[in-house]
Amino acid sequence: MDGKQETHQFKTEIQQILNLIINSLYSNRDIFLRELISNSSDAIDRLRFKAQTDADILGDDTEYFIRITPDKEKKTLEISDNGIGMTYDEVMENIGTIAKSGTSAFLEAFENSKNGDTLAPDLIGKFGVGFYSAFIVADNITLTSKAAGSDAGVRWESKGDGSYTIEEVKQEKRGTTILLALKEPEEKEDDDYTDEWVIRQTVKKHSDFVRYPILMEVDTTEDIPEAEQVKDKDGKATSTTRKVRKDETLNSMKAIWTRPKSEIKEEEYSEFYKHISHDWNDPLSHIHVKLEGVVEYTMLLYIPEKVPFDFFMVERKHGIRLFSRRVFIMENCKDLIPDYLRFVKGVVDAMDLNLNVSREILQQDKMVRNIRKNIIKNVLTHLSEMDKETYEKFFDAFGMVLKEGIHSDWDNKDKIADLARYKTTKSDGAYVSLKDYVIRMKPDQKEIYYITGESMSTLINSPHLEKLKDKDYEVLLMTDPIDEWVVQALTEYEKKPLVSAEKGDLKIDDKKEENKAKELNSLFEFIKTELTDKIKEVRASTRLKDSVACLSSDEGEMSAYMEKIMKATGNAGPDAKRVLELNAEHPAITKMKELFEKDKKDMRLKDYSQLLFDMAVIGEGGKIENPSRFNKQVGELLSGAI
């Protein structure tokens, strides 16, 4: 032992994840080599970036490489690199623990994958578990590493059986080496990862685009110089060639984005996507554009098919990988892409970008602003050109995120609005664009109607829509929380105002109803007095046709759904009083008016006032304060009616 040594037990959840990886992903064993090579590539990227401002960090080791060393006799496979390496503490943080994003989230994602929602291999590379995929093929893993600029190395070892050891060791050169003691293949047809052909094929398939040479020492032949040749008695050479061991580069190292699109196969695009995203699924689509002129750069962007499991986690990194003339500059470059397009993966290679650019400089860089503008333009155009089936698959996954742009990107608000889709009261569960909605509007209809809420079922059956349905007006059903911000920014579309079905006066009443409402003023004042701590006003409804009561807000006020969102996020103030709307044509209101005119002190009027309020709350999917009282009142009314 060269320094301190510790033994640690894996937490129960981590051991559970290890067991899932080892036992559940055996049919996708190749994934382990892809992940370890990808980790090595990332380590060299980080070193290369750091060397931009600290050239001395490289020392005399300036030729980057990733090396694979199989040993048939010992049944081991070694993957090493001369990247940035890790300190003792970094190994503890990055290798000694799994799933910074949360082991519970990983386990939940795995359970979902068993239901067919996604492929289990998609979990590898997410939640920080890519390294552990090596336990699919290995009985024992030994990792040794030395960080650039560090004096000591570190060795980590585990059999994946519940514990690991970590110790300080002496190590000459920086970088990381992972030694796998391979398991015996379970099936005859299982690949042997000490076989050079298997390694070549696996690297070619999954890691051909890695920018650094992936080396393997192989047997080959070379010509023997004439001066070294052994000759027989007649002066003829006994052999002109000899067997030697030489490094073979297994990957092309060609940056796929620099190649002409006509030369790139779909499978190559997909494999590169998997390399940069750690996603085992094929992408939904890609955008490959080279822009020339005053500013020259190439972008290769991907739209995933499915939502990543860590997509909505606070600590999740997102952004584009930034290069300059194929030299890696920065990962997760958020300055290149707005938040509402954070699902986009890919690379941008700018020809004339300063290699020493910092995140602070990026924010002020004119070229970066130009690239960002064109990324947005190209992504939005690409989405608008998708066929209906592909676009709906995209919108199901990322529509809620895309719609954030209507509120946050004023310059592109109208383009994003064109891309928004909603289910409606007349679409039978299908998506409808705002453009199609306007085309389908009734001749006498001047406004686009919408309603927001948590549940599609609650919205489509909402009492707020009764008069609109009676008029045969279509209503947009908005169930994403972001829609509350969308309608604040998108006040009109194609010069048609957006109007909430639950706010303000819908102005679709006739004169007869207006006259009847005036006759109920005294009763409404009484009900308002009885419910003064809950409502601010009682009005004859412009929305109701069959139901007796509903709650509404005035224009400019917070909707019921918005209030619920604000409460859930801890940003709500005191409960806002709303308007109790009553159906002036409903028999219950007529009977209540008769009772009121007969005896204004009848105690039943108080009970009925409370009952009307509770019915309005239930009608919009809310919770009433006193369910027991409500049940009792309904029971009494029912017994009197039977």
Side-chain angles (χ1 to χ4, degrees), residues 17-54:
I17 289 173
L18 276 176
N19 291 337
L20 290 175
I21 291 170
I22 294 166
N23 298 317
S24 302
L25 300 176
Y26 192 82
S27 61
N28 294 283
R29 300 194 308 154
D30 283 359
I31 198 172
F32 88 92
L33 191 54
R34 183 194 78 181
E35 288 300 318
L36 296 185
I37 290 173
S38 182
N39 289 346
S40 290
S41 176
D42 289 344
I44 299 173
D45 277 344
R46 286 193 286 273
L47 177 68
R48 196 172 181 180
F49 178 64
K50 195 169 183 179
Q52 304 297 328
T53 53
D54 182 8

mmCIF file of all heavy atoms in Angstrom, residues 17-54:
data_model
loop_
_atom_site.group_PDB
_atom_site.id
_atom_site.type_symbol
_atom_site.label_atom_id
_atom_site.label_comp_id
_atom_site.label_asym_id
_atom_site.label_seq_id
_atom_site.Cartn_x
_atom_site.Cartn_y
_atom_site.Cartn_z
ATOM 1 N N ILE A 17 -29.147 -0.963 -8.053
ATOM 2 C CA ILE A 17 -28.887 -0.498 -9.420
ATOM 3 C C ILE A 17 -27.840 -1.380 -10.094
ATOM 4 O O ILE A 17 -27.981 -1.769 -11.255
ATOM 5 C CB ILE A 17 -28.425 0.972 -9.404
ATOM 6 C CG1 ILE A 17 -29.597 1.884 -9.045
ATOM 7 C CG2 ILE A 17 -27.856 1.378 -10.760
ATOM 8 C CD1 ILE A 17 -29.213 3.318 -8.852
ATOM 9 N N LEU A 18 -26.783 -1.735 -9.360
ATOM 10 C CA LEU A 18 -25.759 -2.612 -9.908
ATOM 11 C C LEU A 18 -26.352 -3.944 -10.356
ATOM 12 O O LEU A 18 -26.045 -4.455 -11.434
ATOM 13 C CB LEU A 18 -24.667 -2.862 -8.868
ATOM 14 C CG LEU A 18 -23.567 -1.801 -8.757
ATOM 15 C CD1 LEU A 18 -22.628 -2.149 -7.620
ATOM 16 C CD2 LEU A 18 -22.793 -1.700 -10.050
ATOM 17 N N ASN A 19 -27.211 -4.498 -9.519
ATOM 18 C CA ASN A 19 -27.841 -5.780 -9.861
ATOM 19 C C ASN A 19 -28.694 -5.650 -11.119
ATOM 20 O O ASN A 19 -28.719 -6.546 -11.966
ATOM 21 C CB ASN A 19 -28.702 -6.277 -8.700
ATOM 22 C CG ASN A 19 -27.857 -6.691 -7.503
ATOM 23 O OD1 ASN A 19 -26.682 -7.012 -7.649
ATOM 24 N ND2 ASN A 19 -28.442 -6.660 -6.315
ATOM 25 N N LEU A 20 -29.406 -4.515 -11.242
ATOM 26 C CA LEU A 20 -30.224 -4.299 -12.439
ATOM 27 C C LEU A 20 -29.356 -4.220 -13.687
ATOM 28 O O LEU A 20 -29.667 -4.806 -14.725
ATOM 29 C CB LEU A 20 -31.034 -3.008 -12.294
ATOM 30 C CG LEU A 20 -32.173 -3.020 -11.283
ATOM 31 C CD1 LEU A 20 -32.782 -1.630 -11.171
ATOM 32 C CD2 LEU A 20 -33.241 -4.024 -11.684
ATOM 33 N N ILE A 21 -28.249 -3.478 -13.576
ATOM 34 C CA ILE A 21 -27.359 -3.320 -14.724
ATOM 35 C C ILE A 21 -26.778 -4.674 -15.134
ATOM 36 O O ILE A 21 -26.767 -5.050 -16.303
ATOM 37 C CB ILE A 21 -26.221 -2.329 -14.385
ATOM 38 C CG1 ILE A 21 -26.778 -0.902 -14.241
ATOM 39 C CG2 ILE A 21 -25.126 -2.363 -15.456
ATOM 40 C CD1 ILE A 21 -25.781 0.075 -13.689
ATOM 41 N N ILE A 22 -26.295 -5.431 -14.144
ATOM 42 C CA ILE A 22 -25.620 -6.692 -14.433
ATOM 43 C C ILE A 22 -26.585 -7.711 -15.014
ATOM 44 O O ILE A 22 -26.268 -8.424 -15.974
ATOM 45 C CB ILE A 22 -24.965 -7.243 -13.146
ATOM 46 C CG1 ILE A 22 -23.838 -6.302 -12.685
ATOM 47 C CG2 ILE A 22 -24.423 -8.650 -13.373
ATOM 48 C CD1 ILE A 22 -23.351 -6.567 -11.276
ATOM 49 N N ASN A 23 -27.801 -7.767 -14.462
ATOM 50 C CA ASN A 23 -28.727 -8.844 -14.827
ATOM 51 C C ASN A 23 -29.704 -8.493 -15.941
ATOM 52 O O ASN A 23 -30.246 -9.383 -16.589
ATOM 53 C CB ASN A 23 -29.521 -9.287 -13.593
ATOM 54 C CG ASN A 23 -28.613 -9.838 -12.507
ATOM 55 O OD1 ASN A 23 -27.698 -10.591 -12.794
ATOM 56 N ND2 ASN A 23 -28.864 -9.453 -11.257
ATOM 57 N N SER A 24 -29.944 -7.200 -16.148
ATOM 58 C CA SER A 24 -31.020 -6.825 -17.064
ATOM 59 C C SER A 24 -30.550 -6.365 -18.439
ATOM 60 O O SER A 24 -31.354 -6.256 -19.353
ATOM 61 C CB SER A 24 -31.867 -5.706 -16.437
ATOM 62 O OG SER A 24 -32.394 -6.125 -15.198
ATOM 63 N N LEU A 25 -29.265 -6.075 -18.571
ATOM 64 C CA LEU A 25 -28.791 -5.512 -19.836
ATOM 65 C C LEU A 25 -27.813 -6.433 -20.561
ATOM 66 O O LEU A 25 -27.046 -5.992 -21.402
ATOM 67 C CB LEU A 25 -28.136 -4.148 -19.578
ATOM 68 C CG LEU A 25 -29.049 -3.106 -18.942
ATOM 69 C CD1 LEU A 25 -28.256 -1.843 -18.643
ATOM 70 C CD2 LEU A 25 -30.224 -2.800 -19.834
ATOM 71 N N TYR A 26 -27.868 -7.720 -20.218
ATOM 72 C CA TYR A 26 -26.890 -8.649 -20.785
ATOM 73 C C TYR A 26 -26.991 -8.728 -22.304
ATOM 74 O O TYR A 26 -25.994 -8.902 -22.995
ATOM 75 C CB TYR A 26 -27.073 -10.040 -20.173
ATOM 76 C CG TYR A 26 -25.925 -10.974 -20.489
ATOM 77 C CD1 TYR A 26 -24.752 -10.926 -19.725
ATOM 78 C CD2 TYR A 26 -25.993 -11.865 -21.543
ATOM 79 C CE1 TYR A 26 -23.682 -11.757 -20.015
ATOM 80 C CE2 TYR A 26 -24.924 -12.708 -21.837
ATOM 81 C CZ TYR A 26 -23.773 -12.649 -21.072
ATOM 82 O OH TYR A 26 -22.713 -13.471 -21.358
ATOM 83 N N SER A 27 -28.191 -8.597 -22.835
ATOM 84 C CA SER A 27 -28.372 -8.714 -24.289
ATOM 85 C C SER A 27 -27.802 -7.507 -25.037
ATOM 86 O O SER A 27 -27.703 -7.523 -26.258
ATOM 87 C CB SER A 27 -29.863 -8.869 -24.631
ATOM 88 O OG SER A 27 -30.584 -7.738 -24.205
ATOM 89 N N ASN A 28 -27.398 -6.457 -24.320
ATOM 90 C CA ASN A 28 -26.802 -5.270 -24.949
ATOM 91 C C ASN A 28 -25.401 -5.036 -24.382
ATOM 92 O O ASN A 28 -25.035 -3.931 -24.004
ATOM 93 C CB ASN A 28 -27.685 -4.044 -24.698
ATOM 94 C CG ASN A 28 -29.015 -4.152 -25.393
ATOM 95 O OD1 ASN A 28 -29.122 -3.959 -26.592
ATOM 96 N ND2 ASN A 28 -30.046 -4.480 -24.637
ATOM 97 N N ARG A 29 -24.615 -6.100 -24.348
ATOM 98 C CA ARG A 29 -23.318 -6.028 -23.661
ATOM 99 C C ARG A 29 -22.358 -5.031 -24.309
ATOM 100 O O ARG A 29 -21.507 -4.459 -23.627
ATOM 101 C CB ARG A 29 -22.677 -7.421 -23.615
ATOM 102 C CG ARG A 29 -23.535 -8.437 -22.867
ATOM 103 C CD ARG A 29 -22.756 -9.697 -22.524
ATOM 104 N NE ARG A 29 -22.091 -10.253 -23.703
ATOM 105 C CZ ARG A 29 -20.993 -11.011 -23.649
ATOM 106 N NH1 ARG A 29 -20.438 -11.272 -22.486
ATOM 107 N NH2 ARG A 29 -20.453 -11.494 -24.753
ATOM 108 N N ASP A 30 -22.470 -4.823 -25.624
ATOM 109 C CA ASP A 30 -21.564 -3.894 -26.316
ATOM 110 C C ASP A 30 -21.545 -2.511 -25.685
ATOM 111 O O ASP A 30 -20.571 -1.761 -25.820
ATOM 112 C CB ASP A 30 -21.983 -3.731 -27.780
ATOM 113 C CG ASP A 30 -21.568 -4.921 -28.628
ATOM 114 O OD1 ASP A 30 -20.940 -5.838 -28.077
ATOM 115 O OD2 ASP A 30 -21.885 -4.916 -29.832
ATOM 116 N N ILE A 31 -22.618 -2.178 -25.000
ATOM 117 C CA ILE A 31 -22.771 -0.820 -24.474
ATOM 118 C C ILE A 31 -21.646 -0.450 -23.522
ATOM 119 O O ILE A 31 -21.255 0.715 -23.415
ATOM 120 C CB ILE A 31 -24.156 -0.675 -23.791
ATOM 121 C CG1 ILE A 31 -24.527 0.786 -23.629
ATOM 122 C CG2 ILE A 31 -24.198 -1.383 -22.461
ATOM 123 C CD1 ILE A 31 -25.955 0.967 -23.134
ATOM 124 N N PHE A 32 -21.074 -1.442 -22.826
ATOM 125 C CA PHE A 32 -20.043 -1.133 -21.835
ATOM 126 C C PHE A 32 -18.816 -0.509 -22.499
ATOM 127 O O PHE A 32 -18.220 0.434 -21.976
ATOM 128 C CB PHE A 32 -19.651 -2.392 -21.052
ATOM 129 C CG PHE A 32 -18.547 -3.197 -21.691
ATOM 130 C CD1 PHE A 32 -17.206 -2.975 -21.363
ATOM 131 C CD2 PHE A 32 -18.835 -4.163 -22.648
ATOM 132 C CE1 PHE A 32 -16.193 -3.700 -21.968
ATOM 133 C CE2 PHE A 32 -17.828 -4.889 -23.247
ATOM 134 C CZ PHE A 32 -16.497 -4.663 -22.920
ATOM 135 N N LEU A 33 -18.407 -1.054 -23.666
ATOM 136 C CA LEU A 33 -17.208 -0.541 -24.323
ATOM 137 C C LEU A 33 -17.450 0.858 -24.869
ATOM 138 O O LEU A 33 -16.582 1.736 -24.785
ATOM 139 C CB LEU A 33 -16.782 -1.489 -25.448
ATOM 140 C CG LEU A 33 -15.394 -1.232 -26.056
ATOM 141 C CD1 LEU A 33 -14.313 -1.211 -24.981
ATOM 142 C CD2 LEU A 33 -15.076 -2.277 -27.116
ATOM 143 N N ARG A 34 -18.642 1.077 -25.404
ATOM 144 C CA ARG A 34 -18.993 2.415 -25.876
ATOM 145 C C ARG A 34 -18.901 3.425 -24.734
ATOM 146 O O ARG A 34 -18.357 4.519 -24.892
ATOM 147 C CB ARG A 34 -20.412 2.424 -26.448
ATOM 148 C CG ARG A 34 -20.826 3.756 -27.035
ATOM 149 C CD ARG A 34 -22.318 3.828 -27.284
ATOM 150 N NE ARG A 34 -23.062 4.071 -26.054
ATOM 151 C CZ ARG A 34 -24.376 4.157 -25.989
ATOM 152 N NH1 ARG A 34 -25.098 3.998 -27.076
ATOM 153 N NH2 ARG A 34 -24.987 4.391 -24.850
ATOM 154 N N GLU A 35 -19.420 3.060 -23.559
ATOM 155 C CA GLU A 35 -19.436 3.991 -22.429
ATOM 156 C C GLU A 35 -18.026 4.268 -21.909
ATOM 157 O O GLU A 35 -17.685 5.416 -21.591
ATOM 158 C CB GLU A 35 -20.319 3.436 -21.306
ATOM 159 C CG GLU A 35 -21.799 3.488 -21.616
ATOM 160 C CD GLU A 35 -22.290 4.891 -21.867
ATOM 161 O OE1 GLU A 35 -21.892 5.809 -21.133
ATOM 162 O OE2 GLU A 35 -23.063 5.082 -22.820
ATOM 163 N N LEU A 36 -17.187 3.241 -21.794
ATOM 164 C CA LEU A 36 -15.838 3.450 -21.276
ATOM 165 C C LEU A 36 -15.003 4.280 -22.254
ATOM 166 O O LEU A 36 -14.226 5.147 -21.835
ATOM 167 C CB LEU A 36 -15.166 2.106 -21.004
ATOM 168 C CG LEU A 36 -15.819 1.240 -19.908
ATOM 169 C CD1 LEU A 36 -14.991 -0.009 -19.651
ATOM 170 C CD2 LEU A 36 -16.010 2.024 -18.614
ATOM 171 N N ILE A 37 -15.160 4.033 -23.558
ATOM 172 C CA ILE A 37 -14.454 4.848 -24.552
ATOM 173 C C ILE A 37 -14.951 6.286 -24.510
ATOM 174 O O ILE A 37 -14.162 7.239 -24.596
ATOM 175 C CB ILE A 37 -14.635 4.239 -25.960
ATOM 176 C CG1 ILE A 37 -13.867 2.928 -26.075
ATOM 177 C CG2 ILE A 37 -14.169 5.221 -27.040
ATOM 178 C CD1 ILE A 37 -14.127 2.165 -27.360
ATOM 179 N N SER A 38 -16.254 6.454 -24.356
ATOM 180 C CA SER A 38 -16.827 7.795 -24.285
ATOM 181 C C SER A 38 -16.296 8.547 -23.068
ATOM 182 O O SER A 38 -15.975 9.744 -23.148
ATOM 183 C CB SER A 38 -18.356 7.701 -24.221
ATOM 184 O OG SER A 38 -18.936 8.979 -24.196
ATOM 185 N N ASN A 39 -16.183 7.853 -21.929
ATOM 186 C CA ASN A 39 -15.628 8.485 -20.723
ATOM 187 C C ASN A 39 -14.181 8.914 -20.962
ATOM 188 O O ASN A 39 -13.755 9.996 -20.532
ATOM 189 C CB ASN A 39 -15.693 7.515 -19.541
ATOM 190 C CG ASN A 39 -17.105 7.300 -19.043
ATOM 191 O OD1 ASN A 39 -18.014 8.048 -19.401
ATOM 192 N ND2 ASN A 39 -17.301 6.281 -18.232
ATOM 193 N N SER A 40 -13.396 8.054 -21.641
ATOM 194 C CA SER A 40 -12.004 8.396 -21.946
ATOM 195 C C SER A 40 -11.931 9.613 -22.866
ATOM 196 O O SER A 40 -11.105 10.512 -22.674
ATOM 197 C CB SER A 40 -11.303 7.208 -22.614
ATOM 198 O OG SER A 40 -11.111 6.155 -21.702
ATOM 199 N N SER A 41 -12.808 9.640 -23.874
ATOM 200 C CA SER A 41 -12.849 10.775 -24.797
ATOM 201 C C SER A 41 -13.179 12.065 -24.056
ATOM 202 O O SER A 41 -12.558 13.115 -24.296
ATOM 203 C CB SER A 41 -13.889 10.501 -25.890
ATOM 204 O OG SER A 41 -14.029 11.607 -26.740
ATOM 205 N N ASP A 42 -14.148 11.997 -23.140
ATOM 206 C CA ASP A 42 -14.514 13.179 -22.350
ATOM 207 C C ASP A 42 -13.338 13.648 -21.493
ATOM 208 O O ASP A 42 -13.118 14.858 -21.316
ATOM 209 C CB ASP A 42 -15.719 12.871 -21.458
ATOM 210 C CG ASP A 42 -17.002 12.723 -22.255
ATOM 211 O OD1 ASP A 42 -17.024 13.139 -23.431
ATOM 212 O OD2 ASP A 42 -17.981 12.187 -21.703
ATOM 213 N N ALA A 43 -12.587 12.690 -20.929
ATOM 214 C CA ALA A 43 -11.440 13.037 -20.083
ATOM 215 C C ALA A 43 -10.369 13.766 -20.889
ATOM 216 O O ALA A 43 -9.743 14.717 -20.406
ATOM 217 C CB ALA A 43 -10.870 11.774 -19.444
ATOM 218 N N ILE A 44 -10.154 13.336 -22.132
ATOM 219 C CA ILE A 44 -9.172 14.019 -22.991
ATOM 220 C C ILE A 44 -9.705 15.389 -23.407
ATOM 221 O O ILE A 44 -8.954 16.367 -23.463
ATOM 222 C CB ILE A 44 -8.839 13.155 -24.220
ATOM 223 C CG1 ILE A 44 -8.224 11.823 -23.780
ATOM 224 C CG2 ILE A 44 -7.857 13.893 -25.138
ATOM 225 C CD1 ILE A 44 -8.012 10.831 -24.925
ATOM 226 N N ASP A 45 -11.007 15.465 -23.696
ATOM 227 C CA ASP A 45 -11.616 16.763 -24.015
ATOM 228 C C ASP A 45 -11.365 17.770 -22.900
ATOM 229 O O ASP A 45 -10.988 18.928 -23.144
ATOM 230 C CB ASP A 45 -13.132 16.602 -24.208
ATOM 231 C CG ASP A 45 -13.501 16.142 -25.609
ATOM 232 O OD1 ASP A 45 -12.655 16.231 -26.510
ATOM 233 O OD2 ASP A 45 -14.647 15.691 -25.789
ATOM 234 N N ARG A 46 -11.575 17.342 -21.661
ATOM 235 C CA ARG A 46 -11.412 18.261 -20.517
ATOM 236 C C ARG A 46 -9.956 18.690 -20.360
ATOM 237 O O ARG A 46 -9.673 19.847 -20.036
ATOM 238 C CB ARG A 46 -11.939 17.599 -19.240
ATOM 239 C CG ARG A 46 -13.458 17.535 -19.182
ATOM 240 C CD ARG A 46 -13.955 17.164 -17.796
ATOM 241 N NE ARG A 46 -13.746 15.759 -17.502
ATOM 242 C CZ ARG A 46 -14.606 14.792 -17.820
ATOM 243 N NH1 ARG A 46 -15.718 15.097 -18.468
ATOM 244 N NH2 ARG A 46 -14.357 13.541 -17.504
ATOM 245 N N LEU A 47 -9.051 17.743 -20.588
ATOM 246 C CA LEU A 47 -7.631 18.100 -20.516
ATOM 247 C C LEU A 47 -7.266 19.076 -21.627
ATOM 248 O O LEU A 47 -6.560 20.067 -21.405
ATOM 249 C CB LEU A 47 -6.774 16.836 -20.632
ATOM 250 C CG LEU A 47 -5.261 17.081 -20.653
ATOM 251 C CD1 LEU A 47 -4.777 17.590 -19.301
ATOM 252 C CD2 LEU A 47 -4.511 15.806 -21.041
ATOM 253 N N ARG A 48 -7.756 18.801 -22.810
ATOM 254 C CA ARG A 48 -7.438 19.645 -23.968
ATOM 255 C C ARG A 48 -7.959 21.062 -23.759
ATOM 256 O O ARG A 48 -7.297 22.045 -24.116
ATOM 257 C CB ARG A 48 -8.054 19.024 -25.217
ATOM 258 C CG ARG A 48 -7.500 19.550 -26.520
ATOM 259 C CD ARG A 48 -8.030 18.741 -27.679
ATOM 260 N NE ARG A 48 -7.499 19.198 -28.945
ATOM 261 C CZ ARG A 48 -7.803 18.651 -30.107
ATOM 262 N NH1 ARG A 48 -8.614 17.624 -30.169
ATOM 263 N NH2 ARG A 48 -7.288 19.131 -31.232
ATOM 264 N N PHE A 49 -9.126 21.165 -23.163
ATOM 265 C CA PHE A 49 -9.693 22.487 -22.888
ATOM 266 C C PHE A 49 -8.863 23.221 -21.830
ATOM 267 O O PHE A 49 -8.562 24.410 -21.963
ATOM 268 C CB PHE A 49 -11.142 22.334 -22.420
ATOM 269 C CG PHE A 49 -11.798 23.643 -22.070
ATOM 270 C CD1 PHE A 49 -12.013 24.608 -23.037
ATOM 271 C CD2 PHE A 49 -12.195 23.911 -20.771
ATOM 272 C CE1 PHE A 49 -12.614 25.814 -22.727
ATOM 273 C CE2 PHE A 49 -12.792 25.114 -20.447
ATOM 274 C CZ PHE A 49 -13.010 26.069 -21.432
ATOM 275 N N LYS A 50 -8.467 22.495 -20.793
ATOM 276 C CA LYS A 50 -7.676 23.113 -19.733
ATOM 277 C C LYS A 50 -6.313 23.553 -20.251
ATOM 278 O O LYS A 50 -5.758 24.570 -19.809
ATOM 279 C CB LYS A 50 -7.511 22.118 -18.577
ATOM 280 C CG LYS A 50 -7.023 22.753 -17.291
ATOM 281 C CD LYS A 50 -7.129 21.786 -16.117
ATOM 282 C CE LYS A 50 -6.712 22.473 -14.817
ATOM 283 N NZ LYS A 50 -6.838 21.557 -13.660
ATOM 284 N N ALA A 51 -5.772 22.807 -21.210
ATOM 285 C CA ALA A 51 -4.458 23.130 -21.769
ATOM 286 C C ALA A 51 -4.472 24.416 -22.584
ATOM 287 O O ALA A 51 -3.410 24.983 -22.875
ATOM 288 C CB ALA A 51 -3.962 21.970 -22.634
ATOM 289 N N GLN A 52 -5.656 24.902 -22.966
ATOM 290 C CA GLN A 52 -5.739 26.166 -23.706
ATOM 291 C C GLN A 52 -5.194 27.321 -22.872
ATOM 292 O O GLN A 52 -4.626 28.280 -23.398
ATOM 293 C CB GLN A 52 -7.200 26.470 -24.100
ATOM 294 C CG GLN A 52 -7.891 25.385 -24.906
ATOM 295 C CD GLN A 52 -7.244 25.146 -26.247
ATOM 296 O OE1 GLN A 52 -6.708 26.060 -26.854
ATOM 297 N NE2 GLN A 52 -7.268 23.904 -26.696
ATOM 298 N N THR A 53 -5.373 27.229 -21.557
ATOM 299 C CA THR A 53 -4.919 28.308 -20.667
ATOM 300 C C THR A 53 -3.760 27.875 -19.767
ATOM 301 O O THR A 53 -3.202 28.683 -19.042
ATOM 302 C CB THR A 53 -6.083 28.790 -19.787
ATOM 303 O OG1 THR A 53 -6.665 27.661 -19.111
ATOM 304 C CG2 THR A 53 -7.159 29.456 -20.640
ATOM 305 N N ASP A 54 -3.434 26.564 -19.798
ATOM 306 C CA ASP A 54 -2.334 26.057 -18.969
ATOM 307 C C ASP A 54 -1.572 24.999 -19.782
ATOM 308 O O ASP A 54 -1.745 23.792 -19.588
ATOM 309 C CB ASP A 54 -2.896 25.452 -17.678
ATOM 310 C CG ASP A 54 -1.804 24.950 -16.740
ATOM 311 O OD1 ASP A 54 -0.618 25.215 -17.028
ATOM 312 O OD2 ASP A 54 -2.130 24.274 -15.743
#
